[in-house]
């Protein structure tokens, strides 16, 4: 509440969502979790991101044959928690794995479109967090 931006990434499906929601409610019980709309400034800070791409883990990205999801996490989501003034406290990347795309971007087997999206969103996250 005194500043900063928590970024949560790489958890998949309804069971992991339920666990995350239970735990974050212990920390920030008074603030709702909301889907970030397409016009949220986070998505337009440096790069204009018109859609949320499901970024697969390295196993699915390299060997998955096009499969991008894990468990029952078929749809990626970008959610957030804002305080009462509208300041974004938490960004939640659910059913996606930006971290693997950053880690494996230099491997020619990992699909470039996923790495590109992950880096663009990462840059936006960093700049937005520093500017707000």
């Amino acid at each position: 509440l005194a500043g900063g931006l928590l970024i949560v990434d790489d958890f998949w499906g309804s069971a992991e969502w339920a666990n995350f929601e239970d735990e974050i409610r212990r920390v920030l019980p008074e603030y709702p979790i909301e889907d970030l709309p397409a016009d949220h400034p986070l998505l337009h800070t440096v790069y204009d991101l018109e859609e949320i791409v499901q970024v697969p883990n390295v196993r699915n990205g390299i060997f998955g044959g096009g499969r991008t999801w894990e468990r029952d996490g078929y749809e990626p989501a970008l959610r957030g928690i804002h305080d009462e003034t509208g300041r974004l406290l938490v960004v939640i990347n659910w059913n996606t794995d930006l971290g693997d795309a950053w880690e494996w971007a230099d491997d020619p087997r990992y699909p470039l479109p996923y790495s590109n999206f992950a880096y663009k969103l990462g840059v936006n996250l960093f700049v937005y967090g520093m500017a707000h």
Side-chain angles (χ1 to χ4, degrees), residues 55-85:
V55 178
N57 67 36
V58 64
R59 185 176 55 255
N60 287 346
I62 292 177
F63 305 111
R67 178 182 164 171
T68 57
W69 67 91
E70 293 181 41
R71 299 175 188 84
D72 63 341
Y74 303 113
E75 295 294 323
L78 183 64
R79 295 179 173 162
I81 300 174
H82 296 85
D83 69 10
E84 63 277 348
T85 68

Side-chain angles (χ1 to χ4, degrees), residues 9 97-106 115 118-122 125:
D9 183 55
D97 192 347
L98 302 181
D100 265 15
W102 298 334
E103 182 179 356
W104 292 91
D106 64 339
S115 304
Y119 273 110
K120 287 177 181 179
L121 182 53
L125 287 164

Side-chain angles (χ1 to χ4, degrees), residues 8-104:
V8 182
D9 183 55
D10 188 14
F11 67 111
W12 300 79
S14 54
E16 289 186 9
W17 175 262
N19 181 63
F20 169 78
E21 192 170 19
D22 286 346
E23 296 302 320
I24 200 70
R25 289 279 156 250
R26 295 174 65 196
V27 178
L28 298 168
E30 65 275 29
Y31 301 116
I33 299 170
E34 304 168 324
D35 287 319
L36 296 183
D39 64 347
H40 193 281
L42 171 64
L43 296 171
H44 305 282
T45 301
V46 175
Y47 295 101
D48 284 320
L49 301 175
E50 301 300 325
E51 68 174 319
I52 303 304
V53 174
Q54 186 168 57
V55 178
N57 67 36
V58 64
R59 185 176 55 255
N60 287 346
I62 292 177
F63 305 111
R67 178 182 164 171
T68 57
W69 67 91
E70 293 181 41
R71 299 175 188 84
D72 63 341
Y74 303 113
E75 295 294 323
L78 183 64
R79 295 179 173 162
I81 300 174
H82 296 85
D83 69 10
E84 63 277 348
T85 68
R87 185 174 69 83
L88 190 57
L89 304 172
V90 181
V91 175
I92 305 157
N93 301 303
W94 179 45
N95 293 332
T96 194
D97 192 347
L98 302 181
D100 265 15
W102 298 334
E103 182 179 356
W104 292 91

Side-chain angles (χ1 to χ4, degrees), residues 108-124:
R109 298 172 299 163
Y110 191 85
L112 186 61
Y114 300 127
S115 304
N116 283 345
F117 173 80
Y119 273 110
K120 287 177 181 179
L121 182 53
V123 167
N124 278 11

